[in-house]
Amino acid sequence: MSFRLGLTGSIGVGKSTTAQMFADAGCAVWDADAAVHRLYAAGGAAVAPMGALVPGAIVNGAVSREVLKAEIGERPELLPKIEAIVHPLVAADRTAFIAQATADILVFDIPLLFETGGDKAMDATACVSIPADEQAARVLARGTMTPEQFQAIRAKQMPNDEKCARADYVIVTDTLEHARAQVHSVISRIKEQLANA
């Protein structure tokens, strides 16, 4: 029986880097965003149903996230219909991952883990965190969004303090060395639990 660890964290806190640290340490990692990318890619399971709902969103045989975003902006009522297509496909992708994974610890990298109730399907949860000012500095340093866009995204996510309070483990990513040490500590504690189960 594998241990299921839900990994979450807001934008710009270093969640992807932390997920990679778990993978490097021998855990099997499933990434919700990567699953959506697979579903939206040419030949992906979401292409045909999405094309039926929003024909203009299919570009070169794949779902264009940019077109989808623009369409949702103009027609907000599309969002629940899109979610009704995508969520079951993502769940099926996750089920397939669980079925073929051989690691004793499975890590589920899910940005909206608490917001969607995904934490209920986990044995434990870990929240990646940094102070709010550092989070803002990291995101804005990428040059991919304005401060207003960043605040809009942050406003949609559960506050970092609340995520940390709900999580079983908090991993602070102030330095790579510190983050890696905490990842190894979490893995050790889970392996102890598994040994004593």
Side-chain angles (χ1 to χ4, degrees):
M1 190 65 196
S2 297
F3 189 98
R4 299 180 187 188
L5 178 69
L7 182 69
T8 193
S10 302
I11 182 173
V13 297
K15 186 170 54 61
S16 300
T17 304
T18 305
Q20 187 57 52
M21 289 175 182
F22 277 102
D24 293 344
C27 301
V29 176
W30 180 82
D31 179 331
D33 286 341
V36 173
H37 280 287
R38 285 193 293 277
L39 295 167
Y40 282 6
V47 176
M50 209 63 93
L53 179 66
V54 190
I58 308 304
V59 178
N60 298 327
V63 177
S64 164
R65 286 181 156 205
E66 285 67 38
V67 174
L68 266 191
K69 207 178 278 181
E71 290 277 352
I72 292 166
E74 289 172 27
R75 297 157 55 203
E77 71 277 6
L78 275 176
L79 186 59
K81 294 174 183 170
I82 290 168
E83 287 174 343
I85 292 170
V86 176
H87 288 176
L89 293 172
V90 169
D93 189 279
R94 186 170 61 233
T95 300
F97 162 79
I98 294 166
Q100 57 82 44
T102 54
D104 52 355
I105 300 174
L106 309 183
V107 177
F108 297 84
D109 177 351
I110 305 174
L112 300 175
L113 180 72
F114 292 122
E115 290 88 337
T116 58
D119 55 311
K120 294 178 183 68
M122 301 297 151
D123 296 309
T125 55
C127 182
V128 182
S129 180
I130 49 168
D133 54 346
E134 195 174 332
Q135 177 194 14
R138 282 187 193 178
V139 172
L140 299 176
R142 295 174 186 170
T144 53
M145 64 176 71
T146 66
E148 292 73 28
Q149 288 170 318
F150 167 60
Q151 291 303 340
I153 289 173
R154 198 152 67 170
K156 284 185 196 151
Q157 298 180 336
M158 182 183 289
N160 183 54
D161 294 348
E162 195 176 328
K163 282 185 180 180
C164 289
R166 288 181 61 172
D168 298 292
Y169 303 102
V170 175
I171 298 168
V172 180
T173 58
D174 47 358
T175 67
L176 287 172
E177 295 72 29
H178 187 213
R180 193 172 288 111
Q182 293 168 87
V183 165
H184 286 282
S185 168
V186 170
I187 291 170
S188 298
R189 286 164 70 181
I190 290 172
K191 288 196 167 168
E192 269 174 42
Q193 263 181 272
L194 291 172
N196 298 328

